[in-house]
Amino acid sequence: MSLFADLLSTVFDRRYRGATEPDRKNRSIEELCTDLISNAGEVSGMALARLILDRYAAMEWEEKRAFFAHLTQDQGIDTAAMRAALDGFEQNPGKASYRTLMDLAEPPRQEIARRLNQVPGATGQLVEMRADLLRMTDHNPEFEMLDLDLRHLFSSWFNRGFLVLRPISWETPAEILEKIIAYEAVHAIHSWDDLRRRLQPADRRCFALFHPAMPNEPLIFVEVALTQGVPDSVQALLADGRAPLRAQDADTAVFYSISNCQAGLAGISFGNSLIKQVVADLSRELDGLKTFVTLSPIPGLTRWLEKQGRTMPLDPLAQRQITAHYLVHAKRPDGGPVDPVGRFHLNNGALVHAVHAGADTSENGIRQSGGVMVNYLYDLAQITQNHEKFATSGTVAASSEVRSLAGAVALQDA
Amino acid sequence: MSLFADLLSTVFDRRYRGATEPDRKNRSIEELCTDLISNAGEVSGMALARLILDRYAAMEWEEKRAFFAHLTQDQGIDTAAMRAALDGFEQNPGKASYRTLMDLAEPPRQEIARRLNQVPGATGQLVEMRADLLRMTDHNPEFEMLDLDLRHLFSSWFNRGFLVLRPISWETPAEILEKIIAYEAVHAIHSWDDLRRRLQPADRRCFALFHPAMPNEPLIFVEVALTQGVPDSVQALLADGRAPLRAQDADTAVFYSISNCQAGLAGISFGNSLIKQVVADLSRELDGLKTFVTLSPIPGLTRWLEKQGRTMPLDPLAQRQITAHYLVHAKRPDGGPVDPVGRFHLNNGALVHAVHAGADTSENGIRQSGGVMVNYLYDLAQITQNHEKFATSGTVAASSEVRSLAGAVALQDA
Amino acid sequence: MSLFADLLSTVFDRRYRGATEPDRKNRSIEELCTDLISNAGEVSGMALARLILDRYAAMEWEEKRAFFAHLTQDQGIDTAAMRAALDGFEQNPGKASYRTLMDLAEPPRQEIARRLNQVPGATGQLVEMRADLLRMTDHNPEFEMLDLDLRHLFSSWFNRGFLVLRPISWETPAEILEKIIAYEAVHAIHSWDDLRRRLQPADRRCFALFHPAMPNEPLIFVEVALTQGVPDSVQALLADGRAPLRAQDADTAVFYSISNCQAGLAGISFGNSLIKQVVADLSRELDGLKTFVTLSPIPGLTRWLEKQGRTMPLDPLAQRQITAHYLVHAKRPDGGPVDPVGRFHLNNGALVHAVHAGADTSENGIRQSGGVMVNYLYDLAQITQNHEKFATSGTVAASSEVRSLAGAVALQDA
Amino acid sequence: MSLFADLLSTVFDRRYRGATEPDRKNRSIEELCTDLISNAGEVSGMALARLILDRYAAMEWEEKRAFFAHLTQDQGIDTAAMRAALDGFEQNPGKASYRTLMDLAEPPRQEIARRLNQVPGATGQLVEMRADLLRMTDHNPEFEMLDLDLRHLFSSWFNRGFLVLRPISWETPAEILEKIIAYEAVHAIHSWDDLRRRLQPADRRCFALFHPAMPNEPLIFVEVALTQGVPDSVQALLADGRAPLRAQDADTAVFYSISNCQAGLAGISFGNSLIKQVVADLSRELDGLKTFVTLSPIPGLTRWLEKQGRTMPLDPLAQRQITAHYLVHAKRPDGGPVDPVGRFHLNNGALVHAVHAGADTSENGIRQSGGVMVNYLYDLAQITQNHEKFATSGTVAASSEVRSLAGAVALQDA
């Protein structure tokens, strides 16, 4: 099928490129972009778009920088024309004046991106292009305007309604599995055997979101363990040689790793809908599941303690108390929680359910949080309410146990 | 599979609706739209979006009109704020001022539509919504601004790169086939048996473009006959009881019917890429195919003759001469050809290949063009060149035979 | 996909036929069959097999009869050789003597059928061949030996473990749906709209068994209605314009039509496993389903009454009594129930649950059973026990209501 | 999909097992087998079959041996009854006597195997059972009769017409790929990266045959390299870091490894049809392919030289001469070639095309054939003719070059 599709597009390309390319060889990529949007019809648009993407793919870093500079400087909005159109619309509001205004209120580079996207496979290439761009914005802050435009487009293209949730299992094509290995960002997957241990046992699940135009590229994925009771150690959860549970005997689903895959989709959030849909799917599949929790790292804990001039205590209870305090009370100047993982789950409507000392004894776990981990609980009946309180008043939802742990600490917060 | 998906979403909905709906029962759809975009997170967004779509689906015509009036008047751009943002950006161009400007330069109703589109299945409902809107713009011309916004979004969502070409055959699900019957706009399909005659014989093909978020809704489809030689009669082509040709014996592929399916996607053009991809696919499949032509109606011919104060002559040669003249020389004030089907194919890069008298003897064929039909030829090697000449100078590409027929007529053109 | 497969096999055939056919043109089909099994390797076997199948497909009725006569007379067992092999095995039992005996104990026509079956698509053609054969056995009882051989092979090929259950819905390919229309044997489907009414509503289901080598040919299918309570009228069940139930509100699944599709698979039973798997699937899908019943015709009732010299009474209660009596007590000489539908369901382990007067008011319903119908109940917890009692002692399981109705009749049974 | 299927069968099993198992706990597997075939209906048959398979799966080696002894001794043919049935048939040939004879001419253990095969997934378990059996036949030659019966059944079940060819690529599920790694029998695959090098490059292909009832178990697979010219070294062919060829630039397809996967299917040949179908598919896909060859090991060469009292010469030309001689002239007592790989390809209709010294410098290659390898050529136009000459007169087809090399050696053949 995919082979067949390849063949067809090859034939098409060959014939079509033959017909159109010659006279464009000497045009710069900047000229080609201008051609692309000046061209009224679609006929040569696709060939042009492909040519531009091919040129881009072959560029060195500095050429890419020059290309982005062109898009930033020469393909942005024309403020004078926009102001005139605004005047025109105010004086005579209607279809014609509105169309003129809307056309001018959008920079040409957005239309360039849309036309590039006509080519089969272009979506992934444009996501890659934004990843390149993001690597340059530190040194080229002016590119942030271009980035805003791409992000605006991508929000529309990667709308939740267009995404597809697929289970990832040992039956999944190797091509996708090798990306799961590469993209795992929380607890590294060391080999295909390691991957198999996370996918094949009866008490393991994995799910990813995909976009139909990038069918082999997961956007985000979550790894799930089915357990009896809420786990308090990631090493125990992932231990080699453990005896798997029968799925129907599990009462708890644990989201122990969530990884974003595409640097070029930074700022476009999928995690919330991923988790909610997985909760719904697993509920349906397994009647016995009653509890949906994470077993999450606390990446900001050590750093925060240092800023406070404190160190992690040795006593496990004291570790849990100070961690609970951090998760519930430590806030940024904007009022949001200091911990980034906490921000994500709390904004999704989860609550801080429990904290565990000695839960991640890996080097990374010790370094970032003294080995402490946290469970965030997803209770569908309370998600909306939790989220709304969090979004409007910054209230961190927490279990009574966590609240009581947090209250035991007298600390002057940052 | 699809059943399974349904079940899941049902479970999800049930739980989720239970959790969120109660307190929204008394809010108007306008208030809900405002909630939808004011809500920072996504958590309750999807439930809100679904509620709005459900409300819309249950509306009477006048309620819909009121809803569109709300979107037009209250969810449009704020020109004063936009002007201020424009000033701010000019004075201090940068990420922050650009973001403010871009946010204000897009009317809130675009973001409303994007958020509605988060819901599985929403894309089709939004396309339906625009179809409703277009039925009202004659009486409510102010809605055309809203329509421009929807069209702008749809152009992005229905980008060629996101569409999928699928063959339509007697193996296609009945659910889709019944839509092919309903949407056929050129030569009506009278029954399932009639449909089978267009799909099942070895010398027939059909292809449609689909969007992944509307997997059961063709966007546009083309019916193809494989023949020996270029046909000169649509009744002969579709005759019941004819002996089918073996596909490998055909030298010509005839596009004898192209139908757009979605009123709500008016103005978003797919036909060009559909035809080109079908040409490429068929070339690949069948080595013997050398010629790709249409057998097209000429919907504007009779009307044009009447405007000229002429009537269709009786002599077949004279019919062909006047038709060739019409196709090649009759122009609108803007310089484009009078005939709408001609505009479509010429803009795609086709050329006027041949005209045939007595080619469509149906009532409709006699009425609109005195029974004359035309073949447009798609020659991949010349498509780009033809298109560019047509787009830049309005030149109508035609075979020497057609040019000579057209030249035989002395007529004062409109 | 399927198209692609076709193309490939075409190429293959063309090349391959070219290489092998010439020297076989003058050989009779009988000689070709002998070639087919004498040929040691497989190399030319497939070409030979295809040639034989093509020849058969082009035969007139009398040619087919001659071919079957050849298989019956010339490709049967050699009793003398078999006896010698039996002697040999008894004197010196072991691998070699056993192989010789087994080879001779199976008639060559079985190996011919197996080799014909190498060709892609041959399975369906062989099933058709047996359907032809069965149409001749009345006049050619000697063909029954050949039939036993084919039936033996087909039992092996169509083993339950090789069959696949698929839902049939309005999303099913038209190619399969037209066969559902054609094969429905109980309550005729009159049109595509009629079919849609049996597939598309939320309270309707249909399932069929398929063999992977005949992917477009259902072997048997069952139509199911989801209801509240056990229905007592098939016309009410199938009424046009009725309001569909939400599937989750149903408590009962009604198997109202079961049709075998392949005359060539007569005597090979699929119905039992079809029903049991559908019960299991529906239980899983819909928690609310508690009762699984048929609404079945009683095809032998009128005929049996006539043999008894009785006529159907007018009073509904009397109708139900005599019907209950018939179903529970009327037996064939071999001890099995007279009613063929009853035999099928009772042998599957169902019980006679209820009888309804005026339940099928169609012409056919009135003729065969005076309009009375019966529900057989499938209770998974009792199926095995019911079946075993039925299989060993002929006991007909029935509800107490039916037993009481049956007991009210004093009749001398046939 | 597969998950869903699993769930369903789980539900089904649970309910069904609950209903039937209790009273069978104390019956031996031998008694259960007798129940299985004495049971007239299918109702409890599937539960019984599953129970037997579960029992078998849990058995120790000696228990299995006892089970096979039971099948061999107690479930074989009854020669006295068979002789009586033979008499009966001769005296009164007809349907009844034929049925009796056929029933008795087949040992009950065949019907046991067929009924076991009703259970979903049983086919693979039965193949495993035969693999166990074959491991015992050296010490238990009496089991060879049972083996003949299983092989007879499997020939029918694994008929070429039921098998499906599927490409194996980097898009194939990991579950299948790990089996490719495990089953590769010619040139070992050392890791997932090694596997990727054989699947992912544009000039590599792999194809496997599958049976629909064992969808995750390849039966046989072939690895193909696309090359320019016929290769003379497998190390060069598989070199890490080589630059891949564009598929459309290849003129030759090289079958460099063919591996049977299922020990339990020994003696049932798939290789011939696999190669022919792959040749046909690749011809279709890639117009440029003109030559189809193997690059094959010569596993019997060293052993044969030793028997001849010869050693491999050092001179490459002399190596090629003696190898050519071996391949063309060295025969077994039955007239077939000594070399097993040679027998396979020659029987398929291939010819000995070329021999290469230093072509496999691996330890295994040096040991078995002094590093010499051979190309067998598949020329579809000559396959049938080659095969028939080989099958009837033992003639080994060879290129003139190979014949001339072979002729240069004066050797007294074994």
Side-chain angles (χ1 to χ4, degrees), chain C residues 120-173:
Chain C
T123 310
Q125 291 175 272
L126 290 166
V127 169
E128 276 304 306
M129 194 183 281
R130 181 166 175 245
D132 289 347
L133 179 69
L134 286 171
R135 282 181 209 107
M136 297 185 192
T137 46
D138 274 358
H139 289 92
N140 297 82
E142 71 280 16
F143 290 177
E144 283 180 335
M145 287 186 285
L146 170 56
D147 180 54
L148 281 173
D149 287 319
L150 290 180
R151 183 170 158 177
H152 179 72
L153 279 179
F154 291 2
S155 295
S156 197
W157 293 352
F158 289 87
N159 193 304
R160 178 63 191 91
F162 294 147
L163 305 186
V164 180
L165 184 76
R166 283 205 226 151
I168 301 294
S169 74
W170 197 236
E171 293 176 39
T172 298

Side-chain angles (χ1 to χ4, degrees), chain D residues 131-254:
Chain D
D132 289 345
L133 180 70
L134 287 170
R135 282 180 209 107
M136 298 185 192
T137 47
D138 274 359
H139 289 92
N140 297 81
E142 71 280 15
F143 291 175
E144 283 180 336
M145 288 187 282
L146 169 57
D147 180 54
L148 281 173
D149 287 318
L150 290 180
R151 183 170 159 177
H152 179 72
L153 279 179
F154 291 2
S155 295
S156 196
W157 295 351
F158 290 87
N159 193 304
R160 179 63 192 91
F162 294 146
L163 305 186
V164 179
L165 184 76
R166 284 204 225 151
I168 300 294
S169 74
W170 198 235
E171 293 177 39
T172 298
E175 191 174 33
I176 290 171
L177 293 183
E178 68 176 347
K179 286 167 187 163
I180 297 293
I181 295 178
Y183 294 144
E184 159 67 66
V186 184
H187 305 289
I189 301 175
H190 302 291
S191 66
W192 285 84
D193 280 342
D194 198 6
L195 176 67
R196 188 211 316 255
R197 281 194 293 272
R198 303 209 191 171
L199 298 181
Q200 205 176 32
D203 58 354
R204 295 298 144 108
R205 296 286 188 280
C206 181
F207 299 88
L209 281 177
F210 290 84
H211 188 278
M214 296 167 63
N216 295 325
E217 277 290 341
L219 307 182
I220 187 173
F221 64 92
V222 60
E223 296 166 73
V224 186
L226 305 176
T227 61
Q228 285 177 330
V230 172
D232 59 6
S233 157
V234 72
Q235 276 77 29
L237 206 69
L238 297 183
D240 195 358
R242 63 184 189 81
L245 197 64
R246 297 195 324 160
Q248 57 266 42
D249 295 339
D251 56 21
T252 302
V254 184

Side-chain angles (χ1 to χ4, degrees), chain B residues 200-205 225-228 242-252 285-289, chain C residues 7 10-11 13-14 17:
Chain B
Q200 206 177 31
D203 59 353
R204 295 297 143 108
R205 295 287 187 281
L226 305 177
T227 61
Q228 284 177 331
R242 62 183 191 81
L245 196 66
R246 296 193 326 159
Q248 56 266 42
D249 295 338
D251 57 21
T252 303
E285 181 195 332
L286 297 165
D287 287 343
L289 291 181
Chain C
L7 290 171
T10 307
V11 169
D13 290 0
R14 208 182 316 139
R17 292 188 181 203

Side-chain angles (χ1 to χ4, degrees), chain B residues 94-116:
Chain B
K95 184 184 184 181
S97 62
Y98 187 68
R99 173 182 291 184
T100 303
L101 176 56
M102 285 294 104
D103 285 352
L104 287 163
E106 190 190 77
R109 57 189 171 233
Q110 286 198 21
E111 184 63 16
I112 290 173
R114 269 195 295 268
R115 294 205 176 187
L116 289 177

